[in-house]
Amino acid sequence: MVSAHLNTSDSADNPMPVLDWTHRLTQLGPRFFTRLQPTPVAAPRWAARNESLRAELGWPAGIFEDDHLQAFAGNALMVGSDPLATVYSGHQFGQWAGQLGDGRAIWLGEAASAQGPQEIQLKGAGRTPYSRGGDGRAVLRSSIREYLCSEAMHGLGIATTRALSLVASPEPVRRETIESAAVVARVAPSFLRFGHFEHFSAQGDTDSLRALADHAIAHHLPQCQERMQRWQGNAYAALLDEVQERTARLLAQWQAVGFCHGVMNTDNMSLLGLTIDYGPFQFMDGFDPGHVCNHSDHQGRYAYGRQPNVAYWNLYALAQAIAPLIDDQPMTLQVLEGYKTLFPQYLGDAMRAKLGLTGSLAPESEREADWTLVEDLMQLMATEKVDFTLFWRQLSHAVVWQSRATTQNNEGWSAVTDLVLDRPRLLAWLERYTARTGQGNFAAMGARMLRTNPKFVLRNHLAETAIRQAKVGDFSEIDTLYNLLKSPFDEHPGFDAYADLPPDWASQLEISCSS
């Protein structure tokens, strides 16, 4: 347990949790934020409390007592917190949008934890000076999706912000229709985005830009100190290099699990390489490289297959922002070239792992041959829009079955061949796969694959079911999904229906930027 404890404020009627705060961000000064308090929300009630995350962080169990609901709703302040909203700008759908800022997220501060300092935000806690006319609220629908998906990503081993609690309120919020409000308490080592740097660069404020970069290096990305040796001692080139590698790793992980972010604007890109801002996301059902999960993305800019290139575009925007600090254009471009090498490597390793193949140090010829195997399979899956998650999980089970069989035959592959129409084409691929791996390796391979290819992901229809129940005051499905998604590789007997093909009505769901 870290040095964090529960105490009460001076008001006995409204006890607040007390953590050990540091607030290093505030040292940057008022150009970077505006201090303000959250706006109270009507009649809050707990919708979800993330006990696992609380325990991981070493925060006191009593933090989730009913007496502390008001703090997580934004109706009262945690003792020692220093609420503020930060300012940032960014590109939205490829166009410069100017100042954006934390329009509805109130930063409470930075608290000590067993995993190092963690910043805490209340998303949906009311208007800020950067709300651009918005109401500063988040709706229950999107808040449930963020709460569940951030924890689902963590369960998959993918870098992400985390959700500590979810508070619901009957307070009406107007979007396309009238919805109810909610507040998510989310945590991360830092919520700095590409857009924070774009903001000061666009203003020509090099001093603030440098102060922000120095803050990020000193407090969040100390690895840059070692990377400086690659870039002639240039700390800001090292910063860009660290960010591009983290982004390359993140995008490879997204692609490998069929995750579509939906709105990869530069202000939604984390400096730490975290998945951030869960809006119109989706784990694909039927595999389609051109799939667009965001109903508002009319041009398909953020289609699944375009995400890796969009990430590079966003990195280029970040590079332009900090170019005055690097002060060496050829070096800046050379740093960005790293993404073009690292992303294919990370994706190749991730996809080879899904096939049970290991060894990032494998010879290049072997890696190329494996990638051809991957590409041919993905082309078949795309042709028939095979269910992405189910196929990989069934392939894992089929490999395990083959490892135990006394005789080998095509029927042993039925778990996967039953998912496609062109069975001969898949069987031909499976022959190549078996020739590459060797039958004797199947036992170890299958075990690895079952820890790589999840059984459970947050499909849209699962989230929708939880949302519909929550709208009538039943939050139990949130807990059910949370328990499945925090350990998505386990079998969870009795819950197979949550891993089945989606129902027909799921294809009619539309997810937009509205939240």
Side-chain angles (χ1 to χ4, degrees):
M1 176 73 70
V2 297
S3 179
H5 55 281
L6 192 67
N7 211 329
T8 60
S9 66
D10 293 337
S11 172
D13 295 327
N14 199 22
M16 291 294 106
V18 178
L19 300 173
D20 290 336
W21 301 92
T22 53
H23 307 312
R24 292 177 296 184
L25 182 64
T26 62
Q27 298 171 11
L28 289 170
R31 289 172 295 181
F32 298 85
F33 56 81
T34 299
R35 282 190 167 90
L36 77 168
Q37 295 190 6
T39 303
V41 67
R45 61 180 294 196
W46 294 113
R49 286 168 275 191
N50 194 338
E51 274 292 336
S52 295
L53 176 56
R54 181 207 61 75
E56 289 174 33
L57 296 176
W59 290 346
I63 201 170
F64 285 148
E65 291 177 356
D66 288 343
D67 286 344
H68 305 145
L69 168 63
Q70 299 299 329
F72 287 97
N75 291 3
L77 294 181
M78 295 185 184
V79 173
S81 63
D82 190 2
L84 55 85
T86 66
V87 61
Y88 53 79
S89 298
H91 288 83
Q92 297 190 322
F93 292 93
Q95 302 297 317
W96 178 246
Q99 180 176 295
L100 299 168
D102 280 333
R104 58 182 170 180
I106 306 295
W107 186 90
L108 297 183
E110 187 179 40
S113 85
Q115 297 181 359
Q118 298 290 316
E119 296 180 3
I120 307 175
Q121 280 188 348
L122 296 182
K123 184 175 180 179
R127 290 179 178 172
T128 77
Y130 318 115
S131 292
R132 295 171 292 154
D135 57 24
R137 292 300 184 195
V139 298
L140 180 62
R141 162 179 52 89
S142 63
S143 300
I144 289 173
R145 285 170 56 83
E146 171 149 359
Y147 179 88
L148 288 173
C149 197
S150 59
E151 292 308 295
M153 294 296 266
H154 179 71
L156 291 167
I158 299 175
T160 179
T161 59
R162 303 287 302 277
L164 184 63
S165 68
L166 172 62
V167 173
S169 163
E171 184 170 312
V173 178
R174 178 175 291 278
R175 295 298 181 258
E176 283 92 348
T177 61
I178 298 297
E179 302 187 52
S180 59
V183 178
V184 177
R186 59 183 185 179
V187 301
S190 172
F191 287 99
L192 284 177
R193 308 153 181 264
F194 290 12
H196 281 101
F197 293 84
E198 288 186 288
H199 177 77
F200 294 105
S201 179
Q203 292 187 335
D205 187 351
T206 305
D207 290 342
S208 294
L209 188 67
R210 180 175 288 105
L212 184 61
D214 290 344
H215 168 87
I217 293 170
H219 298 305
H220 303 298
L221 297 170
Q223 301 88 344
C224 295
Q225 299 294 337
E226 295 181 8
R227 285 186 182 266
M228 287 172 57
Q229 299 176 11
R230 306 180 190 177
W231 306 107
Q232 303 171 25
N234 192 315
Y236 308 112
L239 173 63
L240 181 61
D241 192 21
E242 179 69 24
V243 175
Q244 67 84 14
E245 180 163 354
R246 287 171 178 247
T247 304
R249 183 183 298 110
L250 179 68
L251 266 291
Q253 291 176 311
W254 284 4
Q255 301 302 106
V257 296
F259 177 76
C260 308
H261 185 279
V263 60
M264 289 177 61
N265 297 330
T266 57
D267 60 295
N268 291 339
M269 298 292 293
S270 160
L271 195 73
L272 302 192
L274 309 175
T275 312
I276 192 172
D277 282 357
Y278 292 90
F281 67 82
Q282 184 180 6
F283 287 90
M284 278 190 298
D285 294 322
F287 179 64
D288 177 8
H291 180 69
V292 180
C293 70
N294 182 356
H295 187 60
S296 304
D297 185 4
H298 305 297
Q299 304 301 317
R301 176 180 177 83
Y302 298 136
Y304 166 81
R306 293 179 175 176
Q307 291 184 144
N309 286 339
V310 169
Y312 180 79
W313 193 97
N314 290 341
L315 284 165
Y316 191 88
L318 175 63
Q320 287 183 307
I322 64 174
L325 305 182
I326 299 175
D327 197 26
D328 187 327
Q329 183 177 8
M331 180 181 289
T332 303
L333 295 175
Q334 187 180 353
V335 173
L336 287 175
E337 286 296 304
Y339 180 87
K340 297 179 180 179
T341 299
L342 288 171
F343 170 75
Q345 287 180 359
Y346 286 136
L347 181 60
D349 289 343
M351 298 308 296
R352 290 174 75 242
K354 291 178 77 67
L355 291 172
L357 306 174
T358 59
S360 60
L361 300 178
E364 186 63 28
S365 59
E366 183 177 293
R367 293 170 63 88
E368 289 179 359
D370 290 345
W371 184 248
T372 299
L373 201 63
V374 169
E375 283 190 315
D376 290 347
L377 176 59
M378 301 292 272
Q379 288 172 8
L380 169 59
M381 294 176 66
T383 298
E384 299 196 17
K385 291 185 169 54
V386 178
D387 188 275
F388 189 83
T389 302
L390 187 59
F391 180 90
W392 286 104
R393 187 67 177 186
Q394 292 295 79
L395 179 62
S396 307
H397 280 297
V399 169
V400 172
W401 188 94
Q402 292 281 10
S403 72
R404 297 170 180 171
T406 55
T407 60
Q408 305 303 317
N409 56 69
N410 289 339
E411 293 307 312
W413 295 111
S414 61
V416 285
T417 56
D418 287 350
L419 297 175
V420 303
L421 296 174
D422 194 345
R423 195 166 183 266
R425 182 178 175 185
L426 181 55
L427 285 171
W429 181 89
L430 287 166
E431 287 184 8
R432 293 167 53 200
Y433 176 53
T434 303
R436 159 67 180 91
T437 59
Q439 191 72 41
N441 296 325
F442 273 0
M445 286 175 53
R448 289 195 297 267
M449 292 169 72
L450 288 172
R451 302 305 304 173
T452 303
N453 298 311
K455 180 175 181 178
F456 302 97
V457 295
L458 184 61
R459 295 175 184 265
N460 270 352
H461 75 276
L462 298 178
E464 180 65 19
T465 299
I467 290 166
R468 292 177 182 179
Q469 292 186 16
K471 285 180 177 179
V472 295
D474 180 1
F475 303 123
S476 61
E477 193 66 9
I478 298 175
D479 288 335
T480 297
L481 286 173
Y482 168 77
N483 288 324
L484 295 175
L485 295 167
K486 72 178 182 179
S487 52
F489 304 103
D490 295 346
E491 288 296 328
H492 294 284
F495 292 89
D496 289 346
Y498 289 82
D500 282 347
L501 290 168
D504 291 341
W505 59 265
S507 63
Q508 305 304 313
L509 294 173
E510 292 181 348
I511 311 298
S512 71
C513 289
S514 162
S515 59

